[in-house]
Amino acid sequence: MTLTRRNVLAGASALAASSTLPFAARANDPLGVGFVLIGPVGDFGWSTMHDVGRRRMEEVLGDAVTTTQVEAVAPPDFDRVVNTLARAGNRLIFTTSFSYFQPTLRMAEQFPDVMFENATGTSTRDNLAIYNARFYEGRYVQGVIAAMKSQTKQIGYVASFPVPEVIHAINTVMRGAWSVDPEMRIRVVWVNAWFNPGVEADAARALVDQGCDVLCQHTDSPAPLQLADERGIHGFGQASDMTRFAPNAHLTSSINNWGDYYAARAQAMIDGTWEPADTWGGLESGMFELAPFTNMTPEQASTAENVVAGLRDGSIDPFAGPIVNQAGEQVIAEGESLTDDQIRAMNFFYEGIDVSMPG
Amino acid sequence: MTLAEAIFLTVITASTPLLLAAIGELVVERSGVLNLGVEGMMIMGAASGVAIAIITGSSLLGVVAAIGAGMAMAALFALLTLGLATNQVAAGLSLTIFGLGLSGVIGAPFVGVPRAGIPRIEVPILSDIPVIGAIFFRQDPFVYLSIALVLGVAWFLWRTKAGLVLRACGENPVSAHALGYPVLRIRFLAVLFGGACAGLGGAYLSLVLTPFWTAGMTAGRGWIALAIVVFASWLPWRAMLGAYLFGGLIILQLHAQSAGIRVPSQLLAALPYLLTIVALTVIMALRRGGGQVAPQGLGRPFVPDR
Amino acid sequence: MRLTLERRDSTGMAGLLLSPLLAVALTLASSIVVFWALGQDPWRALNVYFLMPVSDFWGVQEVAVKATPLVLIAVGLALCFRSGNWNIGAEGQFLIGAICGGGIAVWTHGWGGPWVLPLMLVAGMVGGALYGLIPAILKTRLRVNEILVSLMLVYVADLLLDWLVRGPWRDPFGFNMPQTITFAPEATLPILFDGGRMNLGTVITLVVVAVATVVMARTLKGFEIKLVGEAPRAARFAGFDDKRLTLTVFAVSGALAGLAGVMEAAGTVRQLLPGFSPGYGFTAIIVAFLGRLNPVGCLIAGVFIAITFIGGENAQIILRLPRDMTLVFQGMLLFYILACDTLILYRPRLVPRRAPA
């Protein structure tokens, strides 16, 4: 239920009542869906794409849902924001960052009648689902393309923070690149920010000045890609289709597409079929997609398409053994493959990646 | 282009927004006003600049809008701190909150809209000189403007009567007033100048360095500009040194990472801040017993007695 | 005609009462215009902003949770600012306090006892105080400006926290994510009332406010702080050592910010992770000045600012306003309050324009 004009006008007493009375959603009331975002919707990356997903869900489900989002919620404020969202009648709440995982567990316990979904979380409970996309599949494709485009055999990687998501992405880029050319090397700069356009651009400059001629980025802004365009080299877009920012440099972008997932989950709530699933969707799921390949020859594009097809049908497994870490220890043997939990927690670089593990 | 040349070029572009904002704040503080709202004015410049540039298709109008937005914010600050003699620190911090919010509102329709950056100016003949040519004569207009501003401010503060009066307002507003100078009006103009420079610094970010808008894209540069003014001991030349030193340290740490130095990235990222402290400490240790550096009347409201 | 300010002969009661009332009236008037322009029902919007956060006991507790670190830091900063010391780096001292106290929680996890919590609080205070002393020592020894040093150390503290939670203090069962373990119960501040989040930290803060009030109003130290700030030369003649005082106030304000940090870690967040503070150390500077650098004033201002923050969240949730809009509104509110403050000290007067002298 939403707060109607009348009970909001009642103001204080309405809210006091709302905190003591359990909200029983009536059958024909729209489903309230809340979103807690880690950044501002204007970051043009992670949070913007969750906002796009929310709008998409509204588009698909129309009057069946009402949505509410709260931006840039810091950890100390999280419990209060979720509490207020729940009190305002939201029955399904998406918390879109790993930083929210522990507090979401806590709140899920406190509000057993509200269903929670945490993006990039690591475990579920009765009323808590987790979801993420296998963005690393896109990274593998980036590695393949990078190896085909690079003259200097050096990939530059503008990295945000050393979290497993970024670490396995770097490993996968290299795995993809080595599948084309085992001579490929990578340089990594950590900018210690998810978005800070100026520093992202400066990091990209440093990488290019040191000889990289294809840039990957794990930060939100189009700055590294634009820099690639300015320097006449190539790069990949992040989170949305960034072709327009670098018409001559753009190769492909990894596009986050949460909308259909959100719509399906809200529909499941409405139908009463919602379950605390662990969803980790790959290219075949549509939770992310690759922008049309640009600035490459038809042969290169068709090689990339074949890799995409292989990833979709499972014939290419980016985490198939043998995998050897930087210390020379075998992590997984030939014929086996890393488990999802091993990928989620990945904390080492592969042998041959000459980058030290920060922290 | 050699690696060293490339690094120099990057340092200059990375430092220019800091320098632009810092040179403006330096004049403000010289007049005795402490405006901690640089970040807010800067981000308003970035948002307004890119908004107007996209709407009109003119980078120049974008720059003008950015300057205007910075000055409007500064005027608001002046109304509070000069017109109503409110506390400058609180007013400046409030201005930053206000600016961060309003810039987001202005910028919202322009998230994800690309546009070409402002091109560089190549000075004929001179730009062909090896090394020096690339560094000094192949820059964008803002870089030249920032250096001109440093020169201009240095000349104004120490070589003109108006500059002397402005400094007098910062050192001892009561005496300046007693001598018949309109302290509040002079401070008002200084604050406006500071706003214009901060707006310009913001425009450099959103129109040249990374030509697009994202929320919070100044990412704390306004605060660094404030630190640079202090580092400079309120001297324009030292502000230039400070901005380039700080920008240089940022770029060097990125290069060190790219080169694969095996040191935690957080330590490298902390170095610019630590080394700025060390540098200022060394400077102060070398000039033991020197005179007072901060303007004496800095941060104190002045209300003329009639 | 132009507006000039005339200093009041004495701080009249009328001004003291009139100022907040006028600020409220102006705020209400212009909020009505702003919300109306945004297509919102102004009465409903005001209700959501200012009444909803305090409409029930849970809400009041949340206001206390939000206000506690702000008030505690601001009380310390007020001492600094009163004595003419510019500590802009409370945010860094806050983080170091959280790191020092949180470190003990991480270290003793699994074998701690009831002694853990007191030890954490002390460690947080000591850490914050030592971190606050860095700018103070550089200032008193080498006259290095404290604004620069304290501000730069904020970034250093932030990166140190980042490194710790990604490296040595990372939760071993946390999928290598940047966060510590969730603190054990003996490393957590007790919650005061079931169902809420208000914890012992609020009580400690109120005690600190009371002590600071007495110190400022009744003790020689309080007199010294005020005198050094207002008349440094007179203070020197009176035999007060301003360098020693600089060290003292920086240590005290660092300790209070550090205490706020460790209490936030042990009470509200219960683990360390990056982005742990929403800028409390900077917001507290506004709180200190809105509270006129007076401990009780800081308490009132802290509660008020906390309400505007929570009101902003409510506006996002109930009115579906974007966050940026709530920041604009908060900035505007602050402008009004600052502007109306002027009325206490000055009498505005319209005078005919005269030729500049």
Side-chain angles (χ1 to χ4, degrees), chain A residues 4 9 18 39 70 72 75 106 121 125 156 161 164 171-172 194 210 222 234 239 254 269 274 282 285 290 337 352:
Chain A
T4 63
L9 280 173
S18 74
V70 191
R106 189 160 70 218
R125 50 165 282 148
F161 290 104
N171 282 330
T172 324
W194 289 109
Q210 294 197 12
H234 293 99
S254 183
M269 279 290 286
W274 187 94
S285 72
L290 296 180
S337 186

Side-chain angles (χ1 to χ4, degrees), chain A residues 67 71 75 77 80 98 345, chain C residues 62 66 176-177 313 316 320:
Chain A
T67 66
E71 303 167 52
D77 300 324
R80 176 176 56 250
F98 186 84
Chain C
E62 282 299 323
K66 187 87 189 171
N176 291 316
M177 283 303 202
E313 285 167 14
Q316 290 186 69
R320 300 201 169 82

Side-chain angles (χ1 to χ4, degrees), chain B residues 185-204:
Chain B
R185 190 176 310 162
I186 291 165
R187 286 186 167 183
F188 179 63
L189 293 173
V191 169
L192 280 188
F193 177 77
C197 289
L200 204 57
Y204 186 68

Side-chain angles (χ1 to χ4, degrees), chain B residues 100-138:
Chain B
L100 286 171
L102 191 56
S103 67
V105 174
I106 292 172
F110 304 98
V111 171
V113 180
R115 69 183 304 278
I118 295 174
R120 291 188 179 151
I121 298 174
E122 301 219 352
V123 182
I125 306 166
L126 291 178
S127 62
D128 296 331
I129 304 172
V131 188
I132 295 171
I135 295 169
F136 293 103
F137 301 109
R138 231 179 284 163

Side-chain angles (χ1 to χ4, degrees), chain A residues 2-3 5 8-9 11-12 15-16 19 66-72 74-77 79-81 83-85 87-88 98-99 102 106 122 161-164 192 341 344-347 359, chain C residues 41 43-44 47-48 52 55-56 58 62 66 159 162-163 166-167 170 174-179 182 197 264 268-271 273-276 278 280 310 313-314 316-318 320 322-323:
Chain A
T2 52
L3 287 180
R5 192 183 177 92
V8 169
L9 280 173
L15 193 87
S19 60
T66 57
T67 66
T68 307
Q69 73 185 359
V70 191
E71 303 167 52
D77 300 324
D79 291 33
R80 176 176 56 250
V81 165
N83 227 303
T84 313
L85 278 170
R87 286 158 166 242
F98 186 84
S99 326
Q102 289 295 339
R106 189 160 70 218
T122 45
F161 290 104
V163 289
N192 289 304
D341 277 356
R344 270 188 187 133
M346 192 179 275
N347 196 32
Chain C
D41 175 349
W43 168 235
R44 180 185 174 203
N47 199 342
V48 164
M52 220 178 108
S55 62
D56 62 3
W58 174 79
E62 282 299 323
K66 187 87 189 171
L159 287 159
D162 195 84
W163 177 73
R166 283 173 210 284
R170 190 176 50 205
F175 286 81
N176 291 316
M177 283 303 202
Q179 56 181 9
T182 304
R197 290 200 296 161
E264 193 68 5
T268 309
V269 183
R270 294 181 225 166
Q271 63 177 172
L273 70 172
F276 161 81
Y280 282 138
I310 297 175
E313 285 167 14
N314 289 345
Q316 290 186 69
I317 293 168
I318 308 293
R320 300 201 169 82
R323 175 171 174 272

